Amino acid sequence: AQKVTQAQTEISVVEKEDVTLDCVYETRDTTYYLFWYKQPPSGELVFLIRRNSFDEQNEISGRYSWNFQKSTSSFNFTITASQVVDSAVYFCALSEASGNQFYFGTGTSLTVIP
Amino acid sequence: GAVVSQHPSWVICKSGTSVKIECRSLDFQATTMFWYRQFPKQSLMLMATSNEGSKATYEQGVEKDKFLINHASLTLSTLTVTSAHPEDSSFYICSARSWGADGYTFGSGTRLTVV
């Protein structure tokens, strides 16, 4: 069963628009971690955020914000006032306390048009 | 912060040859490293878990004789793609448990092209 679902394959927005990337996850563990990574065309993974399952507080970091809702098993990521440099593929990932590996979503390719 | 150095960043090889990719943890000891493969426009899929001093654990469908993993020290894990074929062309990336903010540190990846 797929652990992490990113239903949006590709999104295009015009610069300065806000955009939300959706992430829905599935796990039976009560302790788990959720992540967002940015992958620019160069390929490296840039860590954006980690959230543990006991911390449902939303977080804001500059233009980035994250909405974690256990009730709907979602961990959505919003970019406010998008910029061209935000163009990349964004991955949501899950790590369960019972295991070592990551389960990556299929990624959302974001294109910000100037 | 915790750094994993991955080399080479890109490599082109002829079909039938072998290619070795290295991942080194520079400022921490990595008892466990993970190897992922990413085909174009697809997600990262775990290939194997590499444990220092023991045999790697491969995910279902990954040929262990083709993708040789060696984790001989606490700071170095290598992935060797043996008898490479064009279908092995992919982006390979390693990661290790670390004390970084995300608990894991990823290498910068290796883009392999087999011609």
Side-chain angles (χ1 to χ4, degrees):
Chain A
Q2 190 168 0
K3 298 276 189 175
V4 179
T5 301
Q6 294 179 255
Q8 305 149 308
T9 306
E10 296 181 356
I11 300 177
S12 291
V13 297
V14 176
E15 199 170 22
K16 297 184 182 177
E17 287 184 348
D18 298 348
V19 59
T20 295
L21 309 183
D22 297 334
C23 174
V24 175
Y25 63 92
E26 176 188 330
T27 180
R28 292 182 179 176
D29 278 25
T30 55
T31 303
Y32 53 90
Y33 302 90
L34 296 165
F35 306 77
W36 275 96
Y37 287 87
K38 175 181 179 180
Q39 187 179 43
S42 52
E44 78 273 19
L45 287 176
V46 178
F47 166 69
L48 297 178
I49 191 171
R50 173 173 110 157
R51 173 65 80 230
N52 75 54
S53 52
F54 297 107
D55 182 2
E56 284 194 74
Q57 267 195 325
N58 291 330
E59 180 154 339
I60 298 175
S61 176
R63 296 185 296 107
Y64 296 167
S65 62
W66 291 269
N67 184 334
F68 176 28
Q69 296 206 347
K70 285 177 79 170
S71 60
T72 55
S73 296
S74 65
F75 186 44
N76 297 337
F77 171 33
T78 297
I79 302 175
T80 304
S82 59
Q83 300 176 0
V84 173
V85 293
D86 296 328
S87 297
V89 179
Y90 291 85
F91 288 99
C92 180
L94 165 76
S95 174
E96 295 166 328
S98 60
N100 263 322
Q101 70 161 299
F102 269 60
Y103 298 96
F104 283 92
T106 48
T108 297
S109 177
L110 173 65
T111 301
V112 181
I113 304 165
Chain B
V3 175
V4 170
S5 175
Q6 183 170 348
H7 292 282
S9 54
W10 61 270
V11 58
I12 301 173
C13 71
K14 289 186 176 180
S15 201
T17 62
S18 296
V19 173
K20 180 185 283 189
I21 302 169
E22 289 189 353
C23 269
R24 292 181 185 273
S25 56
L26 296 188
D27 49 1
F28 67 101
Q29 293 183 334
T31 54
T32 302
M33 280 197 177
F34 307 91
W35 288 94
Y36 294 85
R37 178 169 54 184
Q38 183 184 28
F39 291 110
K41 299 199 174 186
Q42 294 189 26
S43 187
L44 291 87
M45 300 301 295
L46 180 68
M47 297 175 64
T49 302
S50 157
N51 298 296
E52 186 268 335
S54 64
K55 290 184 179 180
T57 303
Y58 291 82
E59 295 301 301
Q60 193 171 10
V62 178
E63 300 174 59
K64 60 181 179 182
D65 294 331
K66 181 170 185 58
F67 299 99
L68 300 179
I69 291 174
N70 186 290
H71 195 155
S73 78
L74 286 170
T75 58
L76 175 64
S77 177
T78 61
L79 167 67
T80 301
V81 183
T82 63
S83 187
H85 290 285
E87 56 265 31
D88 299 324
S89 298
S90 186
F91 187 69
Y92 295 86
I93 192 166
C94 64
S95 76
R97 281 274 198 182
S98 72
W99 42 266
D102 57 345
Y104 294 84
T105 300
F106 284 85
S108 53
T110 297
R111 200 167 299 279
L112 170 64
T113 302
V114 184
V115 298

PDB file of all heavy atoms in Angstrom, chain A residues 73-85:
ATOM      1  N   SER A  73      -4.879  12.791   8.003  1.00  0.00           N
ATOM      2  CA  SER A  73      -3.585  12.237   7.571  1.00  0.00           C
ATOM      3  C   SER A  73      -2.988  13.081   6.450  1.00  0.00           C
ATOM      4  O   SER A  73      -2.589  12.565   5.391  1.00  0.00           O
ATOM      5  CB  SER A  73      -3.745  10.789   7.097  1.00  0.00           C
ATOM      6  OG  SER A  73      -4.158   9.973   8.166  1.00  0.00           O
ATOM      7  N   SER A  74      -2.961  14.369   6.681  1.00  0.00           N
ATOM      8  CA  SER A  74      -2.435  15.251   5.646  1.00  0.00           C
ATOM      9  C   SER A  74      -1.341  16.160   6.206  1.00  0.00           C
ATOM     10  O   SER A  74      -1.353  16.508   7.393  1.00  0.00           O
ATOM     11  CB  SER A  74      -3.550  16.084   5.022  1.00  0.00           C
ATOM     12  OG  SER A  74      -4.103  16.975   5.981  1.00  0.00           O
ATOM     13  N   PHE A  75      -0.429  16.507   5.333  1.00  0.00           N
ATOM     14  CA  PHE A  75       0.678  17.380   5.720  1.00  0.00           C
ATOM     15  C   PHE A  75       0.959  18.273   4.527  1.00  0.00           C
ATOM     16  O   PHE A  75       1.875  18.031   3.739  1.00  0.00           O
ATOM     17  CB  PHE A  75       1.897  16.544   6.107  1.00  0.00           C
ATOM     18  CG  PHE A  75       3.049  17.330   6.667  1.00  0.00           C
ATOM     19  CD1 PHE A  75       2.854  18.337   7.609  1.00  0.00           C
ATOM     20  CD2 PHE A  75       4.357  17.048   6.275  1.00  0.00           C
ATOM     21  CE1 PHE A  75       3.920  19.047   8.139  1.00  0.00           C
ATOM     22  CE2 PHE A  75       5.433  17.752   6.796  1.00  0.00           C
ATOM     23  CZ  PHE A  75       5.217  18.756   7.723  1.00  0.00           C
ATOM     24  N   ASN A  76       0.163  19.306   4.392  1.00  0.00           N
ATOM     25  CA  ASN A  76       0.225  20.161   3.208  1.00  0.00           C
ATOM     26  C   ASN A  76       1.223  21.302   3.364  1.00  0.00           C
ATOM     27  O   ASN A  76       1.466  21.789   4.472  1.00  0.00           O
ATOM     28  CB  ASN A  76      -1.157  20.722   2.894  1.00  0.00           C
ATOM     29  CG  ASN A  76      -2.151  19.632   2.541  1.00  0.00           C
ATOM     30  OD1 ASN A  76      -1.761  18.546   2.123  1.00  0.00           O
ATOM     31  ND2 ASN A  76      -3.423  19.922   2.724  1.00  0.00           N
ATOM     32  N   PHE A  77       1.747  21.734   2.248  1.00  0.00           N
ATOM     33  CA  PHE A  77       2.824  22.710   2.212  1.00  0.00           C
ATOM     34  C   PHE A  77       2.384  23.887   1.339  1.00  0.00           C
ATOM     35  O   PHE A  77       1.969  23.678   0.200  1.00  0.00           O
ATOM     36  CB  PHE A  77       4.058  22.020   1.630  1.00  0.00           C
ATOM     37  CG  PHE A  77       5.230  22.894   1.311  1.00  0.00           C
ATOM     38  CD1 PHE A  77       5.531  24.026   2.063  1.00  0.00           C
ATOM     39  CD2 PHE A  77       6.075  22.571   0.260  1.00  0.00           C
ATOM     40  CE1 PHE A  77       6.631  24.811   1.773  1.00  0.00           C
ATOM     41  CE2 PHE A  77       7.187  23.349  -0.038  1.00  0.00           C
ATOM     42  CZ  PHE A  77       7.463  24.469   0.710  1.00  0.00           C
ATOM     43  N   THR A  78       2.455  25.071   1.900  1.00  0.00           N
ATOM     44  CA  THR A  78       2.045  26.268   1.162  1.00  0.00           C
ATOM     45  C   THR A  78       3.228  27.205   0.975  1.00  0.00           C
ATOM     46  O   THR A  78       3.964  27.475   1.928  1.00  0.00           O
ATOM     47  CB  THR A  78       0.908  27.006   1.890  1.00  0.00           C
ATOM     48  OG1 THR A  78      -0.239  26.157   1.953  1.00  0.00           O
ATOM     49  CG2 THR A  78       0.541  28.297   1.175  1.00  0.00           C
ATOM     50  N   ILE A  79       3.379  27.655  -0.247  1.00  0.00           N
ATOM     51  CA  ILE A  79       4.369  28.686  -0.545  1.00  0.00           C
ATOM     52  C   ILE A  79       3.597  29.965  -0.827  1.00  0.00           C
ATOM     53  O   ILE A  79       2.728  29.992  -1.716  1.00  0.00           O
ATOM     54  CB  ILE A  79       5.235  28.317  -1.757  1.00  0.00           C
ATOM     55  CG1 ILE A  79       5.950  26.991  -1.511  1.00  0.00           C
ATOM     56  CG2 ILE A  79       6.242  29.426  -2.054  1.00  0.00           C
ATOM     57  CD1 ILE A  79       6.733  26.480  -2.726  1.00  0.00           C
ATOM     58  N   THR A  80       3.908  30.985  -0.086  1.00  0.00           N
ATOM     59  CA  THR A  80       3.241  32.278  -0.250  1.00  0.00           C
ATOM     60  C   THR A  80       4.086  33.170  -1.155  1.00  0.00           C
ATOM     61  O   THR A  80       5.317  33.140  -1.075  1.00  0.00           O
ATOM     62  CB  THR A  80       3.066  32.952   1.120  1.00  0.00           C
ATOM     63  OG1 THR A  80       2.342  32.063   1.985  1.00  0.00           O
ATOM     64  CG2 THR A  80       2.315  34.267   1.005  1.00  0.00           C
ATOM     65  N   ALA A  81       3.416  33.919  -1.989  1.00  0.00           N
ATOM     66  CA  ALA A  81       4.125  34.845  -2.888  1.00  0.00           C
ATOM     67  C   ALA A  81       5.251  34.126  -3.619  1.00  0.00           C
ATOM     68  O   ALA A  81       6.428  34.452  -3.471  1.00  0.00           O
ATOM     69  CB  ALA A  81       4.641  36.051  -2.104  1.00  0.00           C
ATOM     70  N   SER A  82       4.878  33.144  -4.402  1.00  0.00           N
ATOM     71  CA  SER A  82       5.863  32.273  -5.051  1.00  0.00           C
ATOM     72  C   SER A  82       6.851  33.066  -5.912  1.00  0.00           C
ATOM     73  O   SER A  82       6.535  34.147  -6.435  1.00  0.00           O
ATOM     74  CB  SER A  82       5.149  31.228  -5.904  1.00  0.00           C
ATOM     75  OG  SER A  82       4.353  31.856  -6.894  1.00  0.00           O
ATOM     76  N   GLN A  83       8.040  32.504  -6.026  1.00  0.00           N
ATOM     77  CA  GLN A  83       9.095  33.109  -6.834  1.00  0.00           C
ATOM     78  C   GLN A  83       9.612  32.079  -7.827  1.00  0.00           C
ATOM     79  O   GLN A  83       9.461  30.874  -7.617  1.00  0.00           O
ATOM     80  CB  GLN A  83      10.242  33.573  -5.919  1.00  0.00           C
ATOM     81  CG  GLN A  83       9.822  34.606  -4.894  1.00  0.00           C
ATOM     82  CD  GLN A  83      10.969  34.970  -3.943  1.00  0.00           C
ATOM     83  OE1 GLN A  83      12.078  34.455  -4.052  1.00  0.00           O
ATOM     84  NE2 GLN A  83      10.675  35.864  -3.001  1.00  0.00           N
ATOM     85  N   VAL A  84      10.244  32.561  -8.866  1.00  0.00           N
ATOM     86  CA  VAL A  84      10.770  31.661  -9.898  1.00  0.00           C
ATOM     87  C   VAL A  84      11.733  30.638  -9.291  1.00  0.00           C
ATOM     88  O   VAL A  84      11.758  29.473  -9.700  1.00  0.00           O
ATOM     89  CB  VAL A  84      11.456  32.472 -11.015  1.00  0.00           C
ATOM     90  CG1 VAL A  84      12.155  31.541 -12.007  1.00  0.00           C
ATOM     91  CG2 VAL A  84      10.438  33.341 -11.745  1.00  0.00           C
ATOM     92  N   VAL A  85      12.475  31.053  -8.278  1.00  0.00           N
ATOM     93  CA  VAL A  85      13.447  30.137  -7.651  1.00  0.00           C
ATOM     94  C   VAL A  85      12.775  28.993  -6.902  1.00  0.00           C
ATOM     95  O   VAL A  85      13.439  28.032  -6.498  1.00  0.00           O
ATOM     96  CB  VAL A  85      14.390  30.881  -6.692  1.00  0.00           C
ATOM     97  CG1 VAL A  85      15.279  31.817  -7.461  1.00  0.00           C
ATOM     98  CG2 VAL A  85      13.609  31.605  -5.600  1.00  0.00           C
TER      99      VAL A  85
END
